[in-house]
Amino acid sequence: MNIILPLSMIIAFAVSIILAPIFIPVLRRMKMGQTEREEGVKSHLKKAGTPTMGGLIFLIAASVGTFIFAGIYPKIVPVMVLMLGFGAIGFLDDYLKVVLRRSDGLLPWQKLILQFIVTTIFLVFILKFTDTGLDMIVPFTGGVRIDIGVIAIPFMYIVVLATVNGVNFTDGLDGLASSVTAVVAVFFAAVS
């Protein structure tokens, strides 16, 4: 299994390199550009028209890179479903921004309800259909586990929703999440 992670990352990287030059011009032709609020920061207005929905490239690439090895490591499938669920919410948000020209996209409460639904599906699947328990591995202890019982459920909601919204806020206008995510991903890859 040690070779699966690097191979999956290399495949996903290759797929994204292949898709980006094809996908971005298509988004430009379809006028899938970002809209900016007139009452916002004036320097952001120059970003209007920047292609949006480029996250689809990464969703497709990560899915291809992961599903190739899902038979060898099936525990990754629920995580991929979670990623695709949040990707669908992002797609819907961008679609509303582009098609309806609503710079807000989904309203915060709509986004949060959809995020709760996706997280709930993930947690139900994990708890009902896998052998994953409600225990936590204590970092840097060589695998010591603590059973935290039902406290794990709200904890998982907090972790998942905080992570997804933290990335969304970080990404913001200029796609800053890619640089932050690269640093964090390298750390987690090394630790794992």
Side-chain angles (χ1 to χ4, degrees), residues 108-128:
W109 66 268
Q110 294 169 321
K111 212 178 277 189
L112 194 58
I113 287 172
L114 291 172
Q115 290 171 349
F116 264 98
I117 291 169
V118 169
T119 305
T120 301
I121 292 168
F122 170 73
L123 293 177
V124 167
F125 184 83
I126 287 290
L127 296 174
K128 293 287 184 187

Side-chain angles (χ1 to χ4, degrees), residues 123 126-128 130-137 145-156:
L123 293 177
I126 287 290
L127 296 174
K128 293 287 184 187
T130 70
D131 61 352
T132 304
L134 296 177
D135 53 342
M136 287 178 44
I137 297 174
R145 293 176 179 266
I146 298 175
D147 185 0
I148 60 173
V150 295
I151 294 172
I153 295 170
F155 181 73
M156 286 189 273

Side-chain angles (χ1 to χ4, degrees), residues 5 9 139-140 159 163 180-192:
L5 179 63
M9 290 170 58
F140 311 111
V159 169
T163 301
V180 174
T181 301
V183 172
V184 174
V186 167
F187 167 77
F188 280 118
V191 169
S192 69

Side-chain angles (χ1 to χ4, degrees), residues 7 34 43 63 111 176 179:
L7 279 177
Q34 207 164 290
S43 64
S63 298
K111 212 178 277 189
L176 298 173
S179 59

